[in-house]
Amino acid sequence: MVEKKMYVTEEEGKTLSFPYDWRQTWHHPFEMSRVVNEAQTIKAFVADGDERQMGLEILKLLLDYTFATYDQLVRLLTIKGLYDEDRLNALLKKYLDRRLINKFTMSAYEMDNIPEDAFVVYCLDHASRHILSHLYRDDVAVTWKSTNAIRGPELVAKYLATNEFYLSLMAVKTQTLSFFEPTVNYTIRNRDIRMSAMFRIMNGATPCDFVLEVVRDSDIPTNWRKKTNEQLAPFVLDKFWNRYFQIEPIFIFLAEDLKQAEELAEIYYLRTESSNFRVTTDEELRGGIDKAKFYKYDPTAKQKLVAGSASIFQKD
C-alpha cells in the first residue's frame, strides 16, 4: 500500500482542492530585516534589463490575484508573449533570494522545507512593494502586507481558482475583455458582500457584465446557503446590483464538480427564483473556457443542470 504523503503533491494540487485543516509550509519566513533598502531594490530590478518586463508581469499578477502556481505564471507569460522557460526558472530563483516573492506548499503540519514533488504556490514578499509602488501602483506599500499571503487552504484554493478563470478567459478574449477585477466588494444596506471577481466582455458595442463566485466543497451546504440568504438574495431581489451595473449582471458560479454544482444551483434558485446565472466546474475550465460547458438550472427537469456552451466565451 502506498503511504499517503502529508503534503499536497504536484499532481494532487492540480485539482485546487486541499484538506481544509492543513497549513502553509514556506520557502522562507517573511522578514523585513532581509529586505535591502528601496533604492538598491529598484536599481537591481532595473538592471535585469530584458527580464524586467517578465518580472513586472509576475509581480503584478501576484499583487492582484494574491497567489499563482508555476503553470499559471507560464500561461500568463505566454499570453503576454514573454515566456522563456530557462529565464523564468532563473528569475523565480533570483526573486526568492531577493525577497521579491515567496512560495509555499500545503501540508498537514509545518515542515522544515518544501519537498521536491510538492505542489508549490507563489506569492509576493516585502521587497516587491518597492518595485510595484514605483512601476505599477503607488498605494502598494500601504495595501500589501505579508498577512495577505498567510491564508488557510480554503482561501488559497479560491484565489487560485479565480486566477485560473481569469487566465482561461484572457487566453481567448484578448480583444474584448474590458476588465477583470478580482475580489470585489458590494454593499447592501449596512452589509458588505465579497465576491471572487467581476468582469466585462464587450459584445460588439454592448457591455456584458458578470460576477464570478468560486464555491468550494467546504461551502456546501451551510456556508453557501447562508451567503445566498443573507447576501446574494437581497443583492438580486432588492436590486442592489443597480448601484454598480446598468443591466443586471450574470452570475457565474465555479464549483469543484457537478454534484456540488447542482447543489449550489438548487440552493441559489430556490431562494432567488432567478435563472440569471450559470454554473461550471474546475474540470470544464481545465479544458479551456471556450470549450467549457456552462449549466443552467431547470427545476422542472429530471436532470436539473442543463449543459450548454457560452458563445460569449468563444475566442475573439
Side-chain angles (χ1 to χ4, degrees):
M1 185 176 70
V2 179
E3 183 180 356
K4 180 173 175 57
K5 296 181 178 180
M6 301 307 289
Y7 57 88
V8 178
T9 66
E10 185 175 359
E11 188 62 31
E12 291 170 338
K14 293 176 182 178
T15 64
L16 300 185
S17 180
F18 318 128
Y20 288 110
D21 57 347
W22 284 20
R23 62 188 64 193
Q24 293 162 299
T25 287
W26 292 95
H27 176 269
H28 58 261
F30 290 102
E31 295 174 321
M32 282 293 294
S33 61
R34 291 292 303 273
V35 178
V36 299
N37 69 49
E38 185 172 353
Q40 287 178 288
T41 298
I42 295 170
K43 182 178 179 180
F45 184 84
V46 172
D48 286 338
D50 292 342
E51 296 176 348
R52 184 173 57 194
Q53 189 58 40
M54 176 189 286
L56 185 59
E57 292 295 343
I58 290 171
L59 296 182
K60 286 161 55 179
L61 184 80
L62 293 177
L63 175 66
D64 292 339
Y65 294 84
T66 309
F67 302 122
T69 65
Y70 181 85
D71 176 69
Q72 289 175 339
L73 295 180
V74 168
R75 287 157 56 202
L76 169 75
L77 296 174
T78 300
I79 292 168
K80 300 288 184 178
L82 297 169
Y83 176 60
D84 179 285
E85 182 178 3
D86 292 338
R87 287 172 60 195
L88 173 60
N89 291 337
L91 197 67
L92 292 175
K93 184 179 185 303
K94 184 190 299 182
Y95 281 13
L96 286 165
D97 292 340
R98 291 181 182 175
R99 298 306 194 254
L100 287 169
I101 62 172
N102 205 341
K103 66 179 180 178
F104 64 88
T105 191
M106 304 306 306
S107 52
Y109 51 87
E110 191 169 352
M111 307 172 77
D112 293 334
N113 50 59
I114 300 174
E116 288 188 7
D117 64 338
F119 176 71
V120 172
V121 180
Y122 291 90
C123 65
L124 294 180
D125 201 343
H126 286 294
S128 65
R129 294 185 300 174
H130 300 322
I131 306 301
L132 291 165
S133 293
H134 281 266
L135 301 177
Y136 184 40
R137 282 186 4 211
D138 59 10
D139 66 340
V140 174
V142 175
T143 59
W144 188 88
K145 298 177 176 61
S146 58
T147 50
N148 293 16
I150 301 172
R151 301 292 187 181
E154 180 182 359
L155 277 179
V156 172
K158 287 189 175 187
Y159 285 141
L160 288 175
T162 302
N163 199 352
E164 194 71 19
F165 191 97
Y166 165 68
L167 291 171
S168 189
L169 192 60
M170 272 285 290
V172 297
K173 307 305 290 185
T174 54
Q175 304 299 318
T176 56
L177 180 62
S178 180
F179 68 83
F180 190 105
E181 183 178 345
T183 314
V184 291
N185 295 302
Y186 307 116
T187 301
I188 52 169
R189 302 183 183 93
N190 61 347
R191 175 174 297 171
D192 289 335
I193 305 175
R194 172 160 288 189
M195 303 296 286
S196 297
M198 68 175 177
F199 60 97
R200 173 178 294 165
I201 295 173
M202 298 303 296
N203 187 11
T206 305
C208 299
D209 290 323
F210 299 84
V211 175
L212 171 70
E213 179 67 354
V214 175
V215 184
R216 303 290 90 178
D217 184 63
S218 63
D219 294 319
I220 303 295
T222 306
N223 292 342
W224 179 244
R225 182 174 285 114
K226 179 180 174 66
K227 182 163 189 169
T228 298
N229 288 341
E230 297 180 2
Q231 299 181 16
L232 299 182
F235 188 76
V236 172
L237 299 177
D238 296 336
K239 297 188 177 180
F240 282 97
W241 57 261
N242 63 20
R243 295 182 177 180
Y244 307 95
F245 306 95
Q246 292 184 338
I247 300 173
E248 184 176 358
I250 299 170
F251 282 89
I252 303 290
F253 301 134
L254 177 58
E256 292 185 27
D257 53 47
L258 271 179
K259 180 178 181 297
Q260 183 194 104
E262 182 170 345
E263 190 169 359
L264 76 85
E266 181 175 48
I267 290 170
Y268 180 81
Y269 180 82
L270 290 177
R271 179 64 181 86
T272 65
E273 294 187 351
S274 171
S275 58
N276 193 35
F277 72 96
R278 293 294 183 269
V279 186
T280 192
T281 67
D282 293 348
E283 183 177 0
E284 291 290 340
L285 206 58
R286 281 193 288 272
I289 198 168
D290 54 334
K291 301 178 183 64
K293 295 185 181 70
F294 285 81
Y295 298 86
K296 64 180 180 179
Y297 183 78
D298 184 350
T300 64
K302 183 177 180 181
Q303 186 68 40
K304 291 184 170 55
L305 287 185
V306 180
S309 61
S311 59
I312 198 164
F313 295 143
Q314 298 304 301
K315 189 174 179 62
D316 287 340

mmCIF file of all heavy atoms in Angstrom, residues 1 13 15 25 55 70-71 81 121-122 125 143 146 177 190 229 240 256 300 303 316:
data_model
loop_
_atom_site.group_PDB
_atom_site.id
_atom_site.type_symbol
_atom_site.label_atom_id
_atom_site.label_comp_id
_atom_site.label_asym_id
_atom_site.label_seq_id
_atom_site.Cartn_x
_atom_site.Cartn_y
_atom_site.Cartn_z
ATOM 1 N N MET A 1 0.845 -1.196 0.000
ATOM 2 C CA MET A 1 0.000 0.000 0.000
ATOM 3 C C MET A 1 0.883 1.250 0.000
ATOM 4 O O MET A 1 1.859 1.332 0.753
ATOM 5 C CB MET A 1 -0.918 0.008 1.229
ATOM 6 C CG MET A 1 -1.920 1.157 1.250
ATOM 7 S SD MET A 1 -3.072 1.067 2.642
ATOM 8 C CE MET A 1 -1.977 1.437 3.997
ATOM 9 N N GLY A 13 -2.277 18.756 -6.464
ATOM 10 C CA GLY A 13 -2.604 20.172 -6.425
ATOM 11 C C GLY A 13 -3.353 20.671 -7.638
ATOM 12 O O GLY A 13 -4.012 21.713 -7.572
ATOM 13 N N THR A 15 -6.023 19.747 -8.782
ATOM 14 C CA THR A 15 -7.474 19.784 -8.540
ATOM 15 C C THR A 15 -7.913 21.062 -7.830
ATOM 16 O O THR A 15 -9.108 21.364 -7.762
ATOM 17 C CB THR A 15 -7.907 18.586 -7.685
ATOM 18 O OG1 THR A 15 -7.291 18.684 -6.381
ATOM 19 C CG2 THR A 15 -7.506 17.272 -8.339
ATOM 20 N N THR A 25 3.495 25.540 4.441
ATOM 21 C CA THR A 25 4.924 25.376 4.703
ATOM 22 C C THR A 25 5.670 26.289 3.742
ATOM 23 O O THR A 25 5.549 26.149 2.520
ATOM 24 C CB THR A 25 5.373 23.915 4.506
ATOM 25 O OG1 THR A 25 4.888 23.117 5.591
ATOM 26 C CG2 THR A 25 6.894 23.809 4.451
ATOM 27 N N GLY A 55 9.444 40.030 -15.155
ATOM 28 C CA GLY A 55 9.333 40.107 -13.704
ATOM 29 C C GLY A 55 8.181 40.975 -13.245
ATOM 30 O O GLY A 55 7.465 40.635 -12.297
ATOM 31 N N TYR A 70 3.084 27.720 -10.687
ATOM 32 C CA TYR A 70 4.072 27.837 -11.760
ATOM 33 C C TYR A 70 3.375 27.765 -13.120
ATOM 34 O O TYR A 70 3.675 28.556 -14.022
ATOM 35 C CB TYR A 70 5.111 26.715 -11.640
ATOM 36 C CG TYR A 70 6.197 26.755 -12.690
ATOM 37 C CD1 TYR A 70 7.329 27.561 -12.516
ATOM 38 C CD2 TYR A 70 6.098 25.997 -13.856
ATOM 39 C CE1 TYR A 70 8.326 27.609 -13.486
ATOM 40 C CE2 TYR A 70 7.088 26.040 -14.822
ATOM 41 C CZ TYR A 70 8.198 26.847 -14.636
ATOM 42 O OH TYR A 70 9.179 26.886 -15.602
ATOM 43 N N ASP A 71 2.444 26.840 -13.264
ATOM 44 C CA ASP A 71 1.718 26.708 -14.526
ATOM 45 C C ASP A 71 0.961 27.984 -14.867
ATOM 46 O O ASP A 71 0.916 28.403 -16.030
ATOM 47 C CB ASP A 71 0.740 25.528 -14.443
ATOM 48 C CG ASP A 71 -0.122 25.399 -15.683
ATOM 49 O OD1 ASP A 71 0.434 25.056 -16.747
ATOM 50 O OD2 ASP A 71 -1.346 25.635 -15.601
ATOM 51 N N GLY A 81 3.353 37.049 -24.434
ATOM 52 C CA GLY A 81 4.443 36.900 -25.398
ATOM 53 C C GLY A 81 5.816 37.014 -24.770
ATOM 54 O O GLY A 81 6.787 37.409 -25.445
ATOM 55 N N VAL A 121 2.959 27.060 -4.526
ATOM 56 C CA VAL A 121 2.199 28.283 -4.809
ATOM 57 C C VAL A 121 3.099 29.481 -4.525
ATOM 58 O O VAL A 121 3.783 29.522 -3.496
ATOM 59 C CB VAL A 121 0.934 28.354 -3.931
ATOM 60 C CG1 VAL A 121 0.151 29.638 -4.231
ATOM 61 C CG2 VAL A 121 0.060 27.130 -4.133
ATOM 62 N N TYR A 122 3.083 30.452 -5.433
ATOM 63 C CA TYR A 122 3.905 31.653 -5.293
ATOM 64 C C TYR A 122 3.063 32.824 -4.796
ATOM 65 O O TYR A 122 1.856 32.911 -5.059
ATOM 66 C CB TYR A 122 4.535 32.022 -6.635
ATOM 67 C CG TYR A 122 5.581 31.033 -7.097
ATOM 68 C CD1 TYR A 122 5.227 29.939 -7.879
ATOM 69 C CD2 TYR A 122 6.916 31.183 -6.737
ATOM 70 C CE1 TYR A 122 6.178 29.013 -8.298
ATOM 71 C CE2 TYR A 122 7.877 30.266 -7.150
ATOM 72 C CZ TYR A 122 7.500 29.187 -7.924
ATOM 73 O OH TYR A 122 8.447 28.273 -8.328
ATOM 74 N N ASP A 125 6.557 38.964 -1.637
ATOM 75 C CA ASP A 125 7.281 39.161 -0.387
ATOM 76 C C ASP A 125 7.539 40.672 -0.252
ATOM 77 O O ASP A 125 7.256 41.452 -1.169
ATOM 78 C CB ASP A 125 8.579 38.353 -0.383
ATOM 79 C CG ASP A 125 9.101 38.097 1.037
ATOM 80 O OD1 ASP A 125 8.659 38.790 1.974
ATOM 81 O OD2 ASP A 125 9.967 37.209 1.203
ATOM 82 N N THR A 143 -1.054 48.957 0.919
ATOM 83 C CA THR A 143 -2.107 47.941 0.830
ATOM 84 C C THR A 143 -1.609 46.510 0.957
ATOM 85 O O THR A 143 -2.368 45.633 1.366
ATOM 86 C CB THR A 143 -2.869 48.074 -0.501
ATOM 87 O OG1 THR A 143 -1.937 47.919 -1.584
ATOM 88 C CG2 THR A 143 -3.546 49.425 -0.613
ATOM 89 N N SER A 146 2.346 41.108 4.540
ATOM 90 C CA SER A 146 2.618 39.672 4.489
ATOM 91 C C SER A 146 1.420 38.855 4.955
ATOM 92 O O SER A 146 1.245 37.709 4.534
ATOM 93 C CB SER A 146 3.850 39.327 5.329
ATOM 94 O OG SER A 146 3.681 39.724 6.682
ATOM 95 N N LEU A 177 -12.167 41.531 -23.674
ATOM 96 C CA LEU A 177 -12.258 41.576 -22.217
ATOM 97 C C LEU A 177 -11.947 42.998 -21.770
ATOM 98 O O LEU A 177 -10.804 43.447 -21.816
ATOM 99 C CB LEU A 177 -11.291 40.580 -21.580
ATOM 100 C CG LEU A 177 -11.295 40.519 -20.044
ATOM 101 C CD1 LEU A 177 -12.661 40.078 -19.516
ATOM 102 C CD2 LEU A 177 -10.197 39.593 -19.529
ATOM 103 N N ASN A 190 -26.306 47.953 5.340
ATOM 104 C CA ASN A 190 -25.070 48.152 6.110
ATOM 105 C C ASN A 190 -24.179 46.913 6.071
ATOM 106 O O ASN A 190 -23.357 46.698 6.952
ATOM 107 C CB ASN A 190 -25.400 48.503 7.567
ATOM 108 C CG ASN A 190 -26.195 47.383 8.253
ATOM 109 O OD1 ASN A 190 -26.696 46.484 7.585
ATOM 110 N ND2 ASN A 190 -26.290 47.441 9.575
ATOM 111 N N ASN A 229 -28.788 33.440 1.338
ATOM 112 C CA ASN A 229 -29.908 34.032 2.061
ATOM 113 C C ASN A 229 -29.625 35.474 2.486
ATOM 114 O O ASN A 229 -30.476 36.359 2.339
ATOM 115 C CB ASN A 229 -30.245 33.199 3.297
ATOM 116 C CG ASN A 229 -30.901 31.877 2.949
ATOM 117 O OD1 ASN A 229 -31.434 31.705 1.852
ATOM 118 N ND2 ASN A 229 -30.849 30.922 3.867
ATOM 119 N N PHE A 240 -30.056 45.690 -5.470
ATOM 120 C CA PHE A 240 -28.887 46.471 -5.087
ATOM 121 C C PHE A 240 -27.829 46.454 -6.179
ATOM 122 O O PHE A 240 -26.927 47.293 -6.186
ATOM 123 C CB PHE A 240 -28.308 45.939 -3.766
ATOM 124 C CG PHE A 240 -29.071 46.379 -2.554
ATOM 125 C CD1 PHE A 240 -30.033 45.569 -1.980
ATOM 126 C CD2 PHE A 240 -28.839 47.626 -1.990
ATOM 127 C CE1 PHE A 240 -30.749 45.970 -0.873
ATOM 128 C CE2 PHE A 240 -29.545 48.049 -0.872
ATOM 129 C CZ PHE A 240 -30.505 47.232 -0.310
ATOM 130 N N GLU A 256 -16.419 22.754 -7.741
ATOM 131 C CA GLU A 256 -15.372 21.749 -7.903
ATOM 132 C C GLU A 256 -15.813 20.637 -8.849
ATOM 133 O O GLU A 256 -15.019 20.124 -9.634
ATOM 134 C CB GLU A 256 -14.980 21.155 -6.550
ATOM 135 C CG GLU A 256 -14.260 22.150 -5.642
ATOM 136 C CD GLU A 256 -13.772 21.514 -4.359
ATOM 137 O OE1 GLU A 256 -13.511 20.288 -4.351
ATOM 138 O OE2 GLU A 256 -13.643 22.228 -3.342
ATOM 139 N N THR A 300 -37.690 22.011 -13.296
ATOM 140 C CA THR A 300 -38.742 21.091 -13.754
ATOM 141 C C THR A 300 -38.175 19.845 -14.430
ATOM 142 O O THR A 300 -38.903 18.883 -14.669
ATOM 143 C CB THR A 300 -39.675 21.804 -14.749
ATOM 144 O OG1 THR A 300 -38.943 22.161 -15.928
ATOM 145 C CG2 THR A 300 -40.264 23.067 -14.119
ATOM 146 N N GLN A 303 -33.038 15.926 -15.023
ATOM 147 C CA GLN A 303 -31.636 16.321 -14.866
ATOM 148 C C GLN A 303 -31.614 17.842 -14.790
ATOM 149 O O GLN A 303 -31.710 18.536 -15.795
ATOM 150 C CB GLN A 303 -30.813 15.831 -16.066
ATOM 151 C CG GLN A 303 -29.316 16.048 -15.943
ATOM 152 C CD GLN A 303 -28.678 15.192 -14.872
ATOM 153 O OE1 GLN A 303 -29.034 14.032 -14.709
ATOM 154 N NE2 GLN A 303 -27.751 15.785 -14.137
ATOM 155 N N ASP A 316 -11.937 35.345 -29.524
ATOM 156 C CA ASP A 316 -12.131 36.553 -30.334
ATOM 157 C C ASP A 316 -11.674 36.304 -31.783
ATOM 158 O O ASP A 316 -10.681 35.615 -32.012
ATOM 159 C CB ASP A 316 -11.309 37.713 -29.751
ATOM 160 C CG ASP A 316 -11.920 38.246 -28.471
ATOM 161 O OD1 ASP A 316 -13.112 38.011 -28.222
ATOM 162 O OD2 ASP A 316 -11.184 38.914 -27.706
#
